[in-house]
């Protein structure tokens, strides 16, 4: 059973393949020219999607078509080339061009997940009996399309992560003149308001001690996006130890979410050759 339906997997692979450098099937410097052929990039890409979705180990996902060491080495090669970050950037640009990012309404919030193996950005989790955990300070547009995240240990408070998260707006190109940032009560402080005022942003912050439904503002979009990201089990229970690898898997997951949203929202307004016969 495929990890993703073909209407989503094929456009993802077509764009990802366009970012990869050309490699010969056999290494040209081999003296005999008859050594083992290079494993197909499509096979490794499918394995990475399986790892992302199921959260299992590299050894568990490896088979006769591709070994665990090949998956790791090809993953690291693509990270060095900046393929994953560029992949996500193209997805956001395409979404913005066809549907339009809702950048005048921004939602930011933190989410804590498990990190059993520790790692560079892991810390003692205050909600998991002090076990190792990972916090991500995520940012979405007004519909819930993930724009980026800042990784930190689970023992970090949300408020100090607001400034580096807002810095991610600089890479999104032209921004609206007025932007409203929706935050929960964890950001209800004078420091947060000063940070927003210094950047010329409007803040809609829930007040501490006052009960309010999450639907009262636009903050529920980031909560839904956290749920989308946690459906990829490698992010919900992260065994990776290096930050660059974790970011690569997040970029891959965010790209899947953005392209899926793009296809679903443009299904009734656009026509293309590979358009699904019914709304996905």
């Amino acid at each position: 059973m495929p990890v993703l339906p073909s209407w989503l997997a094929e456009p993802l692979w077509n764009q990802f393949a366009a970012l990869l450098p050309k490699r010969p099937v056999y290494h040209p410097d081999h003296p005999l020219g008859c050594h083992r052929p290079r494993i197909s990039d499509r096979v490794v890409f499918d394995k990475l999607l399986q790892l992302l979705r199921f959260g299992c180990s590299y050894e568990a996902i490896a088979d006769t078509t591709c070994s665990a060491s090949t998956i790791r080495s090809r993953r690291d090669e693509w990270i060095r080339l900046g393929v994953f970050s560029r992949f996500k950037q193209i997805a956001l640009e395409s979404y913005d061009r066809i549907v339009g990012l809702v950048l005048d309404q921004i939602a930011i919030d933190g989410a804590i997940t498990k990190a059993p193996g520790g790692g560079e950005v892991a810390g003692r989790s205050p909600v998991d009996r002090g076990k190792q955990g990972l916090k991500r300070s995520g940012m979405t547009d007004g519909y819930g399309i993930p724009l980026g995240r800042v990784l930190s240990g689970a023992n970090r408070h949300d408020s100090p992560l607001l400034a580096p998260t807002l810095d991610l707006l600089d890479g999104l190109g032209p921004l609206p003149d007025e932007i409203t940032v929706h935050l929960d009560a964890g950001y209800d402080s004078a420091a947060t308001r000063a940070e927003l005022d210094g950047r010329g942003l409007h803040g809609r912050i829930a007040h501490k001690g006052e009960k309010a439904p999450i639907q009262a503002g636009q903050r529920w979009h980031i909560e839904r996006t956290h749920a989308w990201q946690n459906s990829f089990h490698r992010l919900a229970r992260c065994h990776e130890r290096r930050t660059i690898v974790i970011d690569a898997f997040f970029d891959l997951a965010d790209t899947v979410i953005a392209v899926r949203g793009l296809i679903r929202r443009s299904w009734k307004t656009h026509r293309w050759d590979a358009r699904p016969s019914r709304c996905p």
Side-chain angles (χ1 to χ4, degrees), residues 36-51:
R36 294 168 58 187
R38 176 182 170 88
I39 301 298
S40 169
D41 288 331
R42 178 61 189 270
V43 172
V44 180
F45 180 73
D46 288 342
K47 294 294 185 185
L48 287 176
L49 287 178
Q50 294 174 28
L51 285 167

Side-chain angles (χ1 to χ4, degrees), residues 4 40 61 67 74 77 162 216 227 268 271:
L4 299 176
S40 169
I61 211 68
S67 67
R74 201 74 57 91
E77 175 188 348
L162 177 62
K268 295 182 179 179
R271 296 291 184 271

Side-chain angles (χ1 to χ4, degrees), residues 56-123:
C56 54
S57 66
Y58 291 89
E59 287 72 18
I61 211 68
D63 54 22
T64 56
T65 63
C66 185
S67 67
S69 59
T70 298
I71 300 174
R72 292 191 183 94
S73 62
R74 201 74 57 91
R75 174 206 66 192
D76 292 342
E77 175 188 348
W78 292 343
I79 290 174
R80 288 194 301 271
L81 295 174
V83 175
F84 292 102
S85 58
R86 179 58 181 157
F87 191 37
K88 181 194 173 184
Q89 181 182 2
I90 291 175
L92 288 179
E93 291 173 351
S94 301
Y95 186 97
D96 192 26
R97 183 174 64 253
I98 298 173
V99 176
L101 292 169
V102 187
L103 295 178
D104 60 337
Q105 303 292 328
I106 299 296
I108 296 177
D109 197 12
I112 295 177
T113 55
K114 295 179 179 292
E120 296 175 350
V121 288

Side-chain angles (χ1 to χ4, degrees), residues 109-205:
D109 197 12
I112 295 177
T113 55
K114 295 179 179 292
E120 296 175 350
V121 288
R124 290 173 57 86
S125 176
V127 297
D128 194 18
R129 296 169 292 172
K131 296 180 181 179
Q132 291 294 294
L134 175 70
K135 171 170 281 190
R136 63 177 182 269
S137 176
M139 178 172 62
T140 68
D141 78 333
Y143 181 74
I145 299 301
L147 303 177
R149 98 295 308 173
V150 173
L151 301 178
S152 180
N155 52 346
R156 289 288 302 279
H157 194 271
D158 290 343
S159 185
L161 300 177
L162 177 62
T165 306
L166 289 173
D167 290 340
L168 300 175
L169 289 172
D170 298 337
L172 297 178
L175 298 174
D177 294 334
E178 294 188 359
I179 299 177
T180 301
V181 182
H182 298 266
L183 303 166
D184 66 12
Y187 298 89
D188 186 16
S189 67
T192 296
R193 291 180 174 83
E195 180 67 33
L196 295 176
D197 291 341
R199 296 173 182 263
L201 305 174
H202 302 286
R204 186 170 183 181
I205 309 172

Side-chain angles (χ1 to χ4, degrees), residues 98-99 143 260-272 275-280:
I98 298 173
V99 176
Y143 181 74
R260 182 177 61 194
L262 170 60
I263 294 175
R264 287 176 173 173
R265 299 194 68 189
S266 62
W267 187 85
K268 295 182 179 179
T269 58
H270 293 75
R271 296 291 184 271
W272 62 94
R275 178 177 178 267
S277 58
R278 60 180 182 177
C279 186

